[in-house]
Amino acid sequence: MSGNSFAYSEQAGGGEATELGQEATSTVSPSGAFGLFSSDLKKNEDLKQMLESNKDSAKLDAMKRIVGMIAKGKNASELFPAVVKNVASKNIEIKKLVYVYLVRYAEEQQDLALLSISTFQRALKDPNQLIRASALRVLSSIRVPIIVPIMMLAIKEASADLSPYVRKNAAHAIQKLYSLDPEQKEMLIEVIEKLLKDKSTLVAGSVVMAFEEVCPDRIDLIHKNYRKLCNLLVDVEEWGQVVIIHMLTRYARTQFVSPWKEDDGLEDNEKNFYESDDEQKEKTDQKKKPYAMDPDHRLLIRNTKPLLQSRNAAVVMAVAQLYWHISPKSEVGIISKSLVRLLRSNREVQYIVLQNIATMSIQRKGMFEPYLKSFYVRSTDPTMIKILKLEILTNLANEANISTLLREFQTYVKSQDKQFAAATIQTIGRCATNISEVTDTCLSGLVCLLSNRDEIVVAESVVVIKKLLQMQPAQHGEIIKHMAKLLDSITVPVARASILWLIGENCERVPKIAPDVLRKMAKSFTNEDDLVKLQILNLGAKLYLTNSKQTKLLTQYILNLGKYDQNYDIRDRTRFIRQLIVPNEKSGALSKYAKKIFLAQKPAPLLESPFKDRDHFQLGTLSHTLNTKAIGYLELSNWPEVAPDPSVRNVEVIELAKEWTPAGKAKKENPAKKFYSDSEEEEDSSDSSSDSESESGSASGEQDEEGDSSEDSSEDSSSERRSDSESVSEVGDKRTAKRNSKSKGKSDSEDEEKENEKSKTSDSSSTDSSSVEESSSDSESESESESESESKKVTMEKEKKTKEDRNLTKDVSLLDLDDFNPVSTPVVLPTPAVSPSLIADLEGLNLSTSSSVISVNTPVFVPVKTHVLLHRMSGRGLAAHYFFPRQPCIFGDKMVSIQITLNNTTDRKIENIHIEGKKLPMGMQMHVFNPIESLEPEGSITVSMGIDFCDSTQTASFQLCTKDDCFNVNIQPPVGELLLPVAMSEKDFKKEQGMLTGMNETSTVIIAAPQNFTPSVILQKVVNIANVGVVPSGQDNIYRFAAKTVHSGSLMLVTVELKEGSTAQLIINTERTVIGSVLLRELKPVLSQG
């Protein structure tokens, strides 16, 4: 038994199983019960020994076997320690396989992966682009919040890499980081904006996917890149094409006017369009339509058309939905042939394509009429495909082809697939409803089916005939009689119920048959299905009202049976009908109108396609397939009435050059050129220009992100290899130069250090730009004025100081985790690669909030807003409201003071008001008010209580009780009320802020009108949200506020720094990062709004 349990545990792959197995093998011989288990263990031991071998060939063989195990679905997590040791191997092949393993298991073995984090960071600077990309993938697979700053830095660095493959992986990592920490959204948007400018086809799809995941509403980021994305689309990989097309569909619906307005007159002539060839159709289209399409709108439609020939079904489907949603109606027809081609794919693809064709065919029958035979059902089709094809055939049915379709349907009814046969009968009913010429033919055909041997076919026919007879009941008395005779043979409840309903509705037309049917049903009432019983009751009621002489006793008998039925629906219906039709002294006014109620004219049912209500979902999406809004679905907006300004999509080289020009620097200006002109020479010029910019941008580690367009724009592979080899040599040169400069000593001031780095980057920029001097006028002008630009770049550096202070230097390995040992005093670390900004981060890890000059102050402002604790309706006349007086609590230093006002809104005295039944989260404490003996009518009283919320916004639940009742109530504090204002000087504020950087700092950018950034408005808004004190500031554009948390006394420092224009930066520094993040989220919308 123990042997079995061990073996089972090993299969589960747990760590405990391994230890148990090792103990077992040491005590039991291999020939015993543990023979198989120990051999498995031995095999893993063999792999461990191979991984620890000195020979690369043995390690490589072991890694291949391990990756093979993973591919087969076997658990290889126990080998993690042995594998991770080889992450620093010099053999490229081993290193690649190690990274493949780590990407798979890094999330499961987070602690062990964290130990190797410094190795991953070093690998980010490896000369091999595959290693750099793999290191970034592993880093983003470690789902631990503490390494968010490292990931952020690695993504920024990788986004400026010379290799498009590394930049592609940076785009993938953006989504992982966003899911781990949504607070990084603003910084990630900056990286996305930078990567969107990338002209490499390898990067385009990945960065658009990141855009859709992180900030799909930021359409402004797409404007400048719209034409580039349209032109690159054909060369992007297939899954990238799908993402880009869906995004551009949404973009087009917001930026262009509807092409359908002037198109309605062409609807009648659809068939002519589809019969003529494409060129003729476009010419005719242009002649007939006065509508002038935006050139950018036409560019998108034209550039996606070739993708209809793609081998990937998802790409074809994406282009089809784009044409359906944004192209003129006269041009949509070209997608039909491509969609029909996809029906030769596997059944899963067929299912999705047919669902979309079903939706399209409701509105545009003409598109798919020429391909009618492609939707005929094959015997090998699965049921789901057959039913979808039936749906499309029904939508395409018209007077011309209905006879062909009905012959086809006759064959389908004989199918062995009963579900499909039943669906065919429903289809015949819908055709009969939609095309009046064949209604009688369909009805007679369905009546013939009533004699079919198959019960399901007969039952479905009855249900459909019932719906058809509702449309013209007077003409079909014979059919009703025929169906009444079938009651003895049909057993399917829905069919029996349908026949009874028909007889009940037409009881005056069949006066002899209806009472006899009721007699038969009364006999079998107790054995019938609930659905049939309800219809028997209805039939009895209708006959009682129209033919009471014959059916009065019979109906009363049925009502007595229903009165004691097991089903409560039937008992309720029985009581309702008895009171309504059998008059007595208790009967209400309704009994007079019983006949009108039961025998009212019923509207005929509308037989509609189940796909009719799906057209509001974007085609090709999961929401359309499920017919319900899925998580992450982005709705298509309506066309704008007036097109937004098209000039926002214009991209000029001159604008890019201006961004790179430091203040006061002379620069030669070229005439304005579009990036994507049709001229070959202009394209070559802009390509070489961006090439030189990318080289100089990557050489200078601290250039502004917006100006840095570090992409590999060359499309042929030879130039890509050349640029890659150059990048490797440049990286090596830069490292050497920076190490030499930093070894001069750290006593130099920070400005001098930045100036040295700037001068070095200027030199390397000069070298790079001179190498492509002939091909780029921008590089020419930059290299000409390089000698005089060093001092001016320092000026530019100071102007951008705030932004660069936030972004750590690229050479720095941010967290080697060894650096995070607490230190008692600020330490200058011995390693030469550490910058002053990192030293400040490390100093901040040893926090001390106690300071002699920091003291609790009186609140600046006390809001009068009250919160409802107990509504008078819920409290049976007792109402309670509470508010936060922002005063130190008298019941305890760690408690938040709360004042509760109790009101008696009744006309009687309320006695013994008190609190009991406290349900508090762990650690939370509450000091309640003393019981109130009585509260007079219309009286009011205010009491105080204290709650220790433990520096969290968790809810404190308790019961507010009176003498007679108890009411469940709860108090949830706004984050701003968990603070006490403190008084401190500006110098102390800066000192404390310097110790609370890195992960203790959160910031965001605020955009608002200038009038909202006046001192009084900012002060009023901040103190209204949070109980903070004002810190005097010597700068007009910076406002500082300070407080400490009530429970732990941790400092909360708030800074609002006004930038140029209508933006400001909100920074919060605190040890309590969760509270800081929540406060940031609450302050941002308040400061943004007017």
Side-chain angles (χ1 to χ4, degrees), residues 633-751:
Y633 173 72
L634 301 168
E635 290 186 2
L636 281 178
S637 58
N638 295 323
W639 294 102
E641 289 296 322
V642 181
D645 182 14
S647 65
V648 293
R649 290 183 289 279
N650 294 342
V651 183
E652 298 181 358
V653 177
I654 188 102
E655 290 178 7
L656 198 63
K658 280 180 184 174
E659 285 181 14
W660 281 72
T661 310
K665 181 174 178 178
K667 194 164 185 73
K668 291 182 183 177
E669 292 188 356
N670 288 340
K673 279 190 217 168
K674 302 274 170 68
F675 252 109
Y676 308 109
S677 60
D678 294 333
S679 163
E680 291 265 318
E681 292 135 9
E682 285 185 12
E683 275 185 27
D684 289 344
S685 165
S686 63
D687 278 358
S688 55
S689 163
S690 61
D691 244 338
S692 71
E693 285 169 3
S694 73
E695 288 172 12
S696 61
S698 60
S700 61
E702 301 191 25
Q703 288 284 12
D704 189 6
E705 274 183 12
E706 289 181 5
D708 187 5
S709 62
S710 61
E711 61 254 331
D712 186 4
S713 61
S714 172
E715 290 192 5
D716 60 350
S717 58
S718 62
S719 64
E720 260 187 40
R721 285 196 295 273
R722 176 180 55 74
S723 63
D724 271 350
S725 61
E726 285 172 9
S727 73
V728 172
S729 62
E730 283 170 19
V731 168
D733 293 342
K734 281 191 290 178
R735 284 185 185 158
T736 313
K738 288 180 181 176
R739 274 199 293 273
N740 291 342
S741 71
K742 289 189 179 180
S743 63
K744 290 176 185 176
K746 290 187 181 165
S747 56
D748 297 339
S749 68
E750 194 172 324
D751 285 345

Side-chain angles (χ1 to χ4, degrees), residues 43 51 56 154 215 239 244 252 270 381 391 439 549 629 653 683 772-773 798 847-848 941 977 1013:
K43 187 168 66 176
L51 288 169
D56 282 354
C215 53
W239 297 113
I244 294 172
E270 268 184 334
D381 286 337
E391 180 63 39
T439 304
K549 186 186 288 185
K629 190 172 179 179
V653 177
E683 275 185 27
V772 281
E773 197 169 359
K798 287 178 180 175
L847 299 173
S848 172
I941 188 170
E977 304 301 337
F1013 285 155

Side-chain angles (χ1 to χ4, degrees), residues 561-578:
L561 287 175
K563 183 178 180 182
Y564 300 105
D565 197 89
Q566 290 182 348
N567 188 300
Y568 56 82
D569 279 336
I570 293 163
R571 296 199 299 271
D572 288 349
R573 179 72 64 89
T574 302
R575 281 195 289 271
F576 167 71
I577 289 174
R578 189 188 293 276

Side-chain angles (χ1 to χ4, degrees), residues 171 314 350 371 478-479 528 570 621 641 762 907 936 985 1012:
Q350 284 185 55
Y371 308 101
E478 287 303 313
I479 295 175
E528 296 288 353
I570 293 163
T621 59
E641 289 296 322
S762 314
D907 54 359
E936 296 298 323
S985 66
N1012 293 331

Side-chain angles (χ1 to χ4, degrees), residues 404-420:
T404 312
L405 289 177
L406 285 176
R407 279 199 301 275
E408 189 75 13
F409 293 157
Q410 279 177 349
T411 312
Y412 298 166
V413 169
K414 298 169 188 171
S415 169
Q416 293 300 311
D417 185 342
K418 301 308 171 193
Q419 188 183 349
F420 170 54

Side-chain angles (χ1 to χ4, degrees), residues 196 211 217-230 247-248 251-252 254-256 296 644-651 676:
L196 280 169
F211 169 83
D217 53 333
R218 287 289 303 274
I219 293 292
D220 56 294
L221 300 179
I222 304 299
H223 291 323
K224 298 287 184 190
N225 304 293
Y226 172 80
R227 292 171 190 162
K228 180 194 71 180
L229 288 171
C230 289
M247 185 273 291
L248 291 178
Y251 180 86
T254 61
Q255 299 301 310
F256 309 124
D296 287 328
D645 182 14
S647 65
V648 293
R649 290 183 289 279
N650 294 342
V651 183
Y676 308 109

Side-chain angles (χ1 to χ4, degrees), residues 488-508:
D488 295 332
S489 57
I490 293 176
T491 57
V492 178
V494 179
R496 291 175 70 81
S498 298
I499 293 172
L500 290 172
W501 185 89
L502 265 178
I503 293 169
E505 278 298 293
N506 301 282
C507 57
E508 292 174 331

